[in-house]
Amino acid sequence: MTVTSSFEPVHRESTASLIARQLRTAIMKRSLPPGAQLSEAALSAQFGVSRGPLREAMQRLVQEGLLRSEPNRGLFVIELDEADIRDVYLARAAVEGAAASMIARARVPAALRELRAACDAMAHSLELGDPTALSDADLHFHDVLVQCSGSRRLARMQQTLIVETRMCLAALEGAYRQPLELVEEHRQIVDAIEAGDVGLTRRRVEQHLDEALRRLVHAEDDDPGYV
């Protein structure tokens, strides 16, 4: 007798997905720096895979905008100019504003706990005077913010945007300053979410990202170092 059930098939992550994730990380951490050309032969040997899944992975990154294809030359890591940086933050404001608004409407206690914990991690990094840890904690907060919305599509868009953001920050390492107000800006976003004020939540997200963009674009005019 055939038994029907509501079980769904279990899917394992494909080889191409695993490779794509590692390539994203390499681009984000600049072990694959902007402008670098990707060698299929070298990468397939390093990953220990055939060129089929490698090409699939690289094509995913082309579609995400992290790699560019040049006819008769190959694939290269993108390079970001000021217009690109502004566009990244414009897109982040749309994605993160929508995600934060969803959380504010739902007011799920677990989401608020995760966001508060992310703020605490930032505060701890600031107390330690560790700029790398603070930058990591900052981006982790924004990742948590979008993940807690429960929207897979927003999370997918945020994945690429965070890699591009990391590229922006890494390019200005040593010049980009983290102000003391940074943690408070994030706490104010969470306060607005907890109050269930959707309009205020979206405004605070947009104001925070506008200020982050201002600091980033004008970082080279500021005194070097972190605060």
Side-chain angles (χ1 to χ4, degrees):
M1 181 176 67
T2 301
V3 178
T4 59
S5 73
S6 59
F7 293 133
E8 297 180 357
V10 175
H11 299 287
R12 292 190 300 174
E13 191 171 12
S14 69
T15 300
S17 294
L18 293 169
I19 294 171
R21 177 153 24 104
Q22 291 193 54
L23 289 174
R24 280 190 210 97
T25 300
I27 292 170
M28 181 172 66
K29 295 186 175 180
R30 294 174 71 85
S31 52
L32 281 175
Q37 183 174 14
L38 275 63
S39 166
E40 280 191 11
L43 288 173
S44 63
Q46 289 178 30
F47 283 118
V49 298
S50 65
R51 295 196 182 189
L54 175 63
R55 287 172 179 165
E56 182 182 342
M58 291 193 297
Q59 187 57 42
R60 291 187 188 187
L61 269 61
V62 170
Q63 293 171 349
E64 292 173 11
L66 296 176
L67 297 178
R68 72 174 191 275
S69 177
E70 295 189 10
N72 303 318
R73 291 196 63 204
L75 298 177
F76 298 80
V77 178
I78 62 166
E79 299 171 271
L80 301 175
D81 58 19
E82 183 176 324
D84 291 317
I85 294 171
R86 291 184 182 279
D87 196 41
V88 167
Y89 276 78
L90 176 66
R92 283 187 60 190
V95 170
E96 295 182 27
S101 297
M102 292 172 67
I103 301 169
R105 290 190 187 95
R107 301 176 75 175
V108 178
L112 289 168
R113 284 195 298 271
E114 287 193 54
L115 289 168
R116 293 288 183 199
C119 286
D120 291 343
M122 290 179 63
H124 181 64
S125 299
L126 188 61
E127 290 170 3
L128 294 176
D130 186 339
T132 300
L134 180 55
S135 179
D136 289 342
D138 183 351
L139 293 180
H140 176 67
F141 173 91
H142 292 276
D143 184 52
V144 169
L145 179 67
V146 177
Q147 293 292 338
C148 284
S149 73
S151 170
R152 291 177 296 173
R153 289 168 179 80
L154 289 178
R156 191 162 61 237
M157 289 185 281
Q158 181 76 346
Q159 183 180 51
T160 299
L161 292 170
I162 288 297
V163 174
E164 292 180 314
T165 300
R166 177 74 77 176
M167 292 172 68
C168 299
L169 298 179
L172 293 172
E173 187 175 5
Y176 179 54
R177 294 190 302 157
Q178 295 281 9
L180 291 172
E181 294 82 7
L182 182 66
V183 176
E184 183 58 28
E185 289 177 14
H186 290 77
R187 291 199 191 281
Q188 288 176 358
I189 292 171
V190 182
D191 289 343
I193 291 173
E194 186 170 24
D197 190 327
V198 175
L200 180 60
T201 295
R202 186 178 285 272
R203 285 196 301 276
R204 286 186 173 172
V205 169
E206 291 173 352
Q207 289 167 358
H208 167 65
L209 291 173
D210 283 346
E211 178 61 19
L213 174 62
R214 185 195 66 78
R215 292 193 298 260
L216 184 60
V217 169
H218 297 293
E220 291 174 321
D221 298 327
D222 292 337
D223 294 333
Y226 293 77
V227 292

